[in-house]
Amino acid sequence: MRNRKINGVQFENMLKNGLQNLSKYETEVNELNVFPVPDGDTGTNMCLTLGNGIKYAKTNAAIGLYAKTLSEGMLLGARGNSGVILSQFFKGVSTELARCAFAGPGELRNALIRGYRTAYDAVVKPVEGTMLTVAREGIEHIRGQITRNSSIEEILAMYIAEMKKTLSYTPEMLEVLKEAGVIDSGGQGFIYIFEGMLKYLYGDVYRTNEKKITNEHTAPSPAKEIDFSLFNEHSSFEDGYCMEFILQLLKSEKYTQCFKLSTFIEDIRVYGNSLVAVQDGRRVKVHIHTLKPAKVIALSQEYGEFLTFKMENMQLQHNEVLKKKIEPKKLPHKQLAMVSVVNGEGLKTLFEQLGTDVVINCEDTMNASSQEFIEAFELIDADYIVVMPNNKNVILAAGQALEISGKKNVTILPTKSVAEGYFAIAMDVPDDKPEYRISSMKSGLQDVSTLVETTATRDYTYHELTCRKGEDIVLLNGELVCVSKDWCSGIIDGMKLVPDIDDKETCVVFYGDGVTEEQTDELRDRLEEEFPLLDVEFIDGGQKHYRLIIGLC
């Protein structure tokens, strides 16, 4: 049986199946990361983003109402560039479906179009050959083939087929993909989501024991006991009841037989609001907020009896929310406050000592979510806030947090490494006016070069330089410059490639988890031998993913 339309419950189940499918291939998507370093994690970021949306969303028969809460959760939980773009896509889908109880062919087509357009608008400089292109061409190539007789399955099948074609061409659109010999990871992850959604409609539903998704992805909040003390004889009652039920229409002569959904809606809407009524054959699913539940029940029972019935005191729920809504304790007021993202306890301690007011330590994912930035903004009481993402894959999430929060006093410094963040703070002059301090920190980024030493996570070729998975590599400002069997020599060779190395005065080495004292001593001796005029400082960063992060200024 083909589906001509889908409601909110079906859409929710489709997305859950899509998340399961993406999670099944999460490692594969991560390994498509263009660069051979563990800071992309596209599959993980997309799983976390969609998982947070599903966890946050509220089940609703109306697809528009469900999509709204899904989008809110994804925007808040977005991690990494791929997660932000994915959340913006579903923001567009939500906007298009806002007033829909269900989505038919036309609504689905328009939602997919609005989705990619919203995602494009969210990126300052959209790059073709990415998830954006895959989503855009997927629907634009089939939009003329969609008719009112098209099934949801047919549309998604065509959409996925066209996206796969575009995905196969992404290396021709983007040189870095061609050089790395891979397709776009975000586009592949996006397709896996929609393949899982289509599988659900075909009855290919993942069981929980087939692919366990971590609590970070989809774990629901544990059931909580209701505190009935929050509604007593002294309480006011203004919010009414939330009623949800499925009404089975009956043919017995005891019941009115001339049921017409439009008439039923007109009759019942006088008793409440937030009304959604959807008919499927001889059954009617109803959601309504009302102060007069007895009237709703009596009217419904004129036509049949309830298969399911749920009624909750929204005033009690509201009072419980008010009780738990404790404003976070604000930090002391100051003219200028700073927010920094790091990866490692040592770096967290360092940035706190440098004067950062809120340090977001992303030890596991390396990518802060938009929600974490918003929570940081709420803690701070300052005239100006400066944000240092310290990772190129976090800048977009910081920008999305700024948009969601509506803050007008936040400046995002586009720091791409903790080394850049470190030197930016070093240029700060606390006694100056905030505007000058921000300007000084920005200027502190201009002359910083960053090298990282790590182990390649995949085979990779860049400008005729090839590394194999497991080899020691050095990157300069994000580009592969050295592959060496001797990690220490690789760093020295990489530093010699810094264009203005002779003009650098300061070298800060952040060593990570597992680096031994013997190794730092060896590197210190080599640096003093090769660059005697450099002032070298070693700091225990404790970062997990890069053995060494070196900042030169």
Side-chain angles (χ1 to χ4, degrees), residues 225-522:
E225 294 185 1
I226 300 174
D227 184 358
F228 293 114
S229 67
L230 297 173
F231 189 78
N232 54 47
E233 66 270 24
H234 302 294
S235 299
S236 61
F237 189 68
E238 300 171 355
D239 290 322
Y241 298 95
C242 174
M243 296 178 66
E244 288 187 24
F245 56 83
I246 297 176
L247 181 69
Q248 174 66 64
L249 305 178
L250 297 175
K251 293 185 177 181
S252 168
E253 60 183 15
K254 295 193 301 182
Y255 302 96
T256 303
Q257 297 303 306
C258 55
F259 180 85
K260 188 175 181 180
L261 183 63
S262 59
T263 302
F264 178 76
I265 290 174
E266 288 302 315
D267 290 343
I268 203 172
R269 73 166 63 250
V270 299
Y271 300 126
N273 53 44
S274 298
L275 172 64
V276 178
V278 181
Q279 184 174 2
D280 183 10
R282 297 287 294 173
R283 291 175 179 173
V284 184
K285 176 69 181 288
V286 178
H287 170 278
I288 188 172
H289 293 171
T290 179
L291 287 164
K292 300 179 179 179
K295 297 285 188 181
V296 174
I297 293 171
L299 176 61
S300 301
Q301 285 185 305
E302 290 181 14
Y303 301 97
E305 299 297 342
F306 303 109
L307 288 173
T308 64
F309 188 94
K310 183 177 74 171
M311 184 170 74
E312 296 177 334
N313 183 326
M314 291 195 298
Q315 190 68 52
L316 175 57
Q317 294 174 334
H318 179 69
N319 293 349
E320 192 165 14
V321 169
L322 290 178
K323 176 187 175 183
K324 295 177 181 177
K325 190 176 180 181
I326 302 173
E327 290 294 328
K329 187 177 180 180
K330 292 276 188 179
L331 295 172
H333 177 78
K334 57 196 308 186
Q335 276 195 317
L336 186 147
M338 293 182 284
V339 178
S340 297
V341 180
V342 300
N343 170 246
E345 282 299 323
L347 290 172
K348 180 176 184 294
T349 300
L350 171 66
F351 274 78
E352 288 173 342
Q353 292 172 345
L354 290 173
T356 302
D357 299 88
V358 178
V359 180
I360 302 172
N361 186 10
C362 300
E363 286 194 282
D364 296 320
T365 67
M366 291 192 69
N367 295 302
S369 68
S370 297
Q371 177 70 50
E372 288 173 298
F373 282 110
I374 292 172
E375 290 172 354
F377 298 159
E378 291 301 317
L379 282 173
I380 292 172
D381 179 9
D383 300 324
Y384 297 82
I385 300 174
V386 174
V387 177
M388 283 163 279
N390 295 338
N391 186 318
K392 66 180 181 180
N393 207 31
V394 178
I395 296 173
L396 205 56
Q400 180 158 288
L402 179 56
E403 179 184 354
I404 295 172
S405 68
K407 295 284 186 181
K408 304 299 183 183
N409 63 334
V410 177
T411 299
I412 299 174
L413 297 185
T415 53
K416 298 178 182 178
S417 69
V418 291
E420 289 188 1
Y422 175 86
F423 283 113
I425 295 176
M427 294 297 293
D428 181 27
V429 183
D431 294 334
D432 275 350
K433 293 182 179 179
E435 295 89 342
Y436 295 144
R437 293 176 63 186
I438 295 173
S439 178
S440 296
M441 284 189 278
K442 286 181 179 178
S443 67
L445 302 179
Q446 297 174 4
D447 299 322
V448 179
S449 295
T450 303
L451 292 97
V452 298
E453 196 279 334
T454 187
T455 300
T457 56
R458 60 179 302 277
D459 296 348
Y460 177 70
T461 299
Y462 180 73
H463 289 179
E464 299 183 354
L465 182 63
T466 298
C467 67
R468 301 298 180 190
K469 183 177 180 179
E471 289 186 324
D472 290 338
I473 59 173
V474 177
L475 288 85
L476 172 59
N477 297 329
E479 296 183 354
L480 179 66
V481 293
C482 289
V483 181
S484 176
K485 293 182 179 179
D486 178 5
W487 66 272
C488 193
S489 295
I491 291 172
I492 299 301
D493 292 342
M495 289 181 63
K496 290 178 179 179
L497 294 174
V498 176
D500 53 351
I501 185 62
D502 293 334
D503 297 328
K504 301 297 185 185
E505 299 177 353
T506 305
C507 173
V508 180
V509 181
F510 305 95
Y511 57 92
D513 187 33
V515 176
T516 65
E517 185 177 351
E518 290 78 10
Q519 289 174 319
T520 57
D521 288 342
E522 179 184 355

Side-chain angles (χ1 to χ4, degrees), residues 528-548:
E528 290 177 355
E529 177 185 346
E530 299 285 347
F531 309 99
L533 298 181
L534 268 181
D535 181 11
V536 181
E537 181 181 5
F538 280 75
I539 297 174
D540 182 1
Q543 68 270 12
K544 292 183 179 179
H545 301 282
Y546 296 130
R547 280 191 294 272
L548 296 158

Side-chain angles (χ1 to χ4, degrees), residues 10 30 49 87 135 147 166-168 190 208 214 275 398 444 483 485 536:
Q10 289 172 300
N30 287 342
T49 301
S87 70
T147 70
T166 300
L167 182 65
S168 68
F190 190 75
T208 54
T214 66
L275 172 64
V483 181
K485 293 182 179 179
V536 181

